[in-house]
Amino acid sequence: MHNQRKNRWPLRSALSLAVTACCSYAAAGLADSNDMEQMVVTGVKTELPLNLATDPKKPRQPLPANDGADYLKTIAGFSVIRKGGSDGDPMLRGMAGSRLNMLLDGATVLGGCSSRMDPPTAYIFPETLDSIKVIKGPQTVKYGPGNAAGVVLFERDHERPAEAGWHLYSSLLAGSAERRDGTVDARYSSPEFSLRGSATSASADDYEDGDGVGVHSRYQRWNGQLSAAWTPDADTRYELNASRGDGEAAYADRGVDGSRFARESYGASYSRQNIGELLQSIEVQAYYNYVDHVMDNYSLREPGGTMAMQMAMNPDRKTSGGKLELLLTPADALNWTLGLDARDDRHSNRSTMNQQMMDYRDMARQADARFRQLGVYSEASWEPVPGRRWIAGARLDNWQVKDRRDQVMLSMMQSVANPTAGDTREEQLHSGFLRHEFALRSGPASSATLYAGLGYNERFPDYWEIFSKETRDSVSALGIAPEKTTQLDIGYLYSGERLSASVSAFANTIDDYLMIETGVMKPAASPGMGAMDGMDSMDGMDDMRSASIVRNIDARTWGLEMDLNYRWRDNWRTELTLSSVRGANDTDDTTLAQLPPLEARLGLYYELPDWSAGVLWRSIASQERVDIGRGNIAGQDFGPTDSAEVLSINGGWRASETLMVTAGIDNLLDETYAEHVSRAGATIPGFDQLARINEPGRTLWLKGVYSF
């Protein structure tokens, strides 16, 4: 590995220089200046407490893959677990999986792979959307259960136009590693009716890291979406939508690739605004998602190993659900939301060890799990005096899960009887929060807000924690306890004529944290027995196997995010973002695993109405706080990582009101580095094995956008 240990001083120097510069400029006085539109976006400003939003249609640096996860990694507090060129697993404040809920136009999207090959963001195509919104922490109850880390909302606009017209957005992108992306998003809108369709295609070859070592990472993806809406008046909207997509992706961290990512979805919604003095609005939504996923070792690689047989696994998942939400205004200063949401989730699988002799497509699917969730929630916002706002919410969720497995697979070659076959588990879980926002200053020239919120969240174990893992004393984890998070969020926001800034900090305690532990030695037979009961240490080794288990522990995490944006000349602007998270496993008296290191981004930009240029410096500290073999459903720690300094440049030209061209070079200095939370490399024929899945080396890209 080329990952040399690097000096940490550049990170500290960058922070020191940026903070000193911002403070000096602020002290010197702030002159009037109109904000210019960013042609290339490198960060996202927090403009409301714990809430931020970004436009996914704008060009970004670093250049994201054509999925939801890599788009999120430019936001302070987010990390992405890299497995190849696409379909990474997103993480917010060190929390991944179902701790971070993802909604696509209000619908829940879940992957099918038991090893997280297809996280929800693998089925999301950001450039066909209009906004991405993030709510950090357990500070809302309106967007489903279990959101301990936060919620990400991928959304399309639903505004009713004043007059009829056509709208078109199209883009073409070319980049290193034969990267080719194309997007068309067109709609016809009138006051009474609107029709919108989008299509996107993305592909790339295997990329190389900074040392020129190839990474098994090629992919291709496509998606199409169609929606129709009827708006008979300014307050009423009916909508139907449907989408379909597929793709394939090579993975450098495992013995199989994804040869199918087929997804189809259908949805319907109704909303009515300005109903009366008390009942302000009503919203009804229903959706259905079906994911058909295939993993195999022969479509995108040559089968390896001594037998070199063609193996395939074909899980699928059907998720349907909906919600009913009412907005009440019992007083001028009080908004009160009441809602009900429900979800039904069914998972099945089929697999073959020899595709030539037994085609998986001819086999019957075997159902293994069914989840049912029904929740009721209430959230209110009260502003008794201008500038002082209280927000509070509570929800109750009823969960049911049925274990439909007759057998539990210990490996591709061994299965045992399931001790909880046919069992049903039911629980009621509670969540809630209270936040106070206090405006220290409010006016047209500047504003400042201080806030503090306390949230509590109970999260039911997900499919990957119950059905893909075992416990210490059983091959079934059906009885594992739910996770309970109590978190304090505090922060400060400032917005002035030239300077905008936000600082947020959090600290929590997590009871019964669901930790995944790999390499645990368990008996190969008698799966209901306690591990190693009455077993001689030497003779018993022949009867032992290495297992991946789920455990409940007590844990804590704490951290902060900061972003500063200062326009120190009419055409010059600088940005600084900082994120840090720490954690502790109190049960085992160790650090909490799978936490990203301290990271800072410093950018300098020159902007004119038709031209822009920018430099982005990303500085990543080393991470030596690890707990080998432990982590979450997305990955486990397997060693420390070194620091890295990544420099990127970009430029933009607005040729006309309808045409914009942007270009950039990511990782200009061809640094060889890997994210701390990336996966370990696997042995793949034709490729050098990597200790970690390194990030791409120097990457050139050019993008054109035509829109009207």
Side-chain angles (χ1 to χ4, degrees), residues 21 551 620:
R551 288 177 56 204
I620 312 166

Side-chain angles (χ1 to χ4, degrees), residues 281-330:
S281 67
I282 182 172
E283 180 181 356
V284 182
Q285 180 186 22
Y287 63 86
Y288 169 81
N289 283 308
Y290 177 65
V291 167
D292 186 10
H293 174 53
V294 175
M295 301 167 277
D296 66 54
N297 67 339
Y298 55 85
S299 295
L300 300 176
R301 70 175 75 186
E302 291 294 327
T306 56
M307 302 182 67
M309 291 187 300
Q310 293 187 1
M311 300 181 297
M313 292 147 281
N314 180 205
D316 74 340
R317 193 173 209 133
K318 298 176 182 178
T319 306
S320 57
K323 75 170 183 178
L324 168 65
E325 186 172 281
L326 307 176
L327 176 60
L328 307 176
T329 53

Side-chain angles (χ1 to χ4, degrees), residues 607-668:
E607 297 165 335
L608 294 171
D610 297 328
W611 293 89
S612 74
V615 178
L616 174 64
W617 180 19
R618 182 184 178 209
S619 188
I620 312 166
S622 61
Q623 178 62 291
E624 298 177 354
R625 297 180 300 275
V626 297
D627 192 5
I628 306 299
R630 292 171 173 171
N632 51 55
I633 61 174
Q636 290 78 46
D637 280 355
F638 55 92
T641 49
D642 295 329
S643 60
E645 312 291 336
V646 184
L647 186 68
S648 304
I649 60 174
N650 64 72
W653 173 45
R654 192 178 301 280
S656 66
E657 291 184 359
T658 58
L659 179 63
M660 182 171 65
V661 179
T662 55
I665 305 177
D666 297 347
N667 195 0
L668 178 66

Side-chain angles (χ1 to χ4, degrees), residues 365-581:
R365 294 186 183 274
Q366 301 295 319
D368 57 6
R370 182 176 184 181
F371 289 81
R372 292 178 177 177
Q373 172 264 327
L374 176 64
V376 292
Y377 59 89
S378 172
E379 185 167 313
S381 173
W382 178 46
E383 191 171 9
V385 296
R388 298 189 180 184
R389 188 162 72 122
W390 293 88
I391 306 97
R395 70 174 290 134
L396 171 66
D397 289 285
N398 183 79
W399 283 92
Q400 290 183 356
V401 58
K402 184 172 184 178
D403 190 343
R404 305 174 71 178
R405 302 168 297 170
D406 293 326
Q407 300 282 321
V408 175
M409 291 184 62
L410 302 183
S411 69
M412 289 296 292
M413 303 296 294
Q414 183 185 14
S415 297
V416 297
N418 179 18
T420 57
D423 289 358
T424 299
R425 172 183 174 183
E426 182 173 1
E427 287 204 37
Q428 287 75 43
L429 302 182
H430 307 80
S431 300
F433 75 97
L434 174 65
R435 185 171 75 250
H436 182 51
E437 300 173 2
F438 181 79
L440 302 175
R441 183 188 307 172
S442 180
S446 63
S447 62
T449 302
L450 187 67
Y451 64 87
L454 183 65
Y456 176 75
N457 182 276
E458 295 182 349
R459 183 180 69 87
F460 195 76
D462 58 34
Y463 174 86
W464 298 272
E465 291 158 337
I466 293 181
F467 295 96
S468 295
K469 299 293 181 288
E470 308 175 22
T471 63
R472 282 192 180 276
D473 56 2
S474 175
V475 296
S476 174
L478 184 64
I480 199 75
E483 194 173 271
K484 309 165 190 69
T485 301
T486 304
Q487 180 163 308
L488 175 66
D489 283 275
I490 60 173
Y492 173 79
L493 278 73
Y494 175 82
S495 178
E497 293 172 337
R498 287 188 180 269
L499 174 67
S500 63
S502 73
V503 180
S504 62
F506 71 94
N508 63 38
T509 60
I510 309 174
D511 296 330
D512 294 320
Y513 177 91
L514 289 159
M515 183 183 71
I516 306 300
E517 187 171 352
T518 60
V520 178
M521 299 308 297
K522 297 185 64 177
S526 303
M529 286 176 49
M532 294 185 288
D533 285 347
M535 185 174 296
D536 181 82
S537 59
M538 295 297 293
D539 295 338
M541 290 305 294
D542 293 336
D543 299 320
M544 300 295 288
R545 61 186 175 85
S546 178
S548 177
I549 68 165
V550 58
R551 288 177 56 204
N552 285 124
I553 64 168
D554 292 333
R556 293 174 289 124
T557 66
W558 60 95
L560 63 87
E561 295 100 29
M562 176 179 69
D563 64 75
L564 302 173
N565 190 307
Y566 186 76
R567 188 173 293 280
W568 49 282
R569 294 288 188 273
D570 288 344
N571 304 116
W572 288 94
R573 180 175 59 85
T574 186
E575 282 184 358
L576 170 68
T577 64
L578 174 70
S579 59
S580 175
V581 60

Side-chain angles (χ1 to χ4, degrees), residues 101-118:
N101 201 13
M102 306 279 176
L103 296 181
L104 178 59
D105 274 334
T108 298
V109 181
L110 296 172
C113 176
S114 59
S115 298
R116 298 290 291 187
M117 182 178 281
D118 63 332

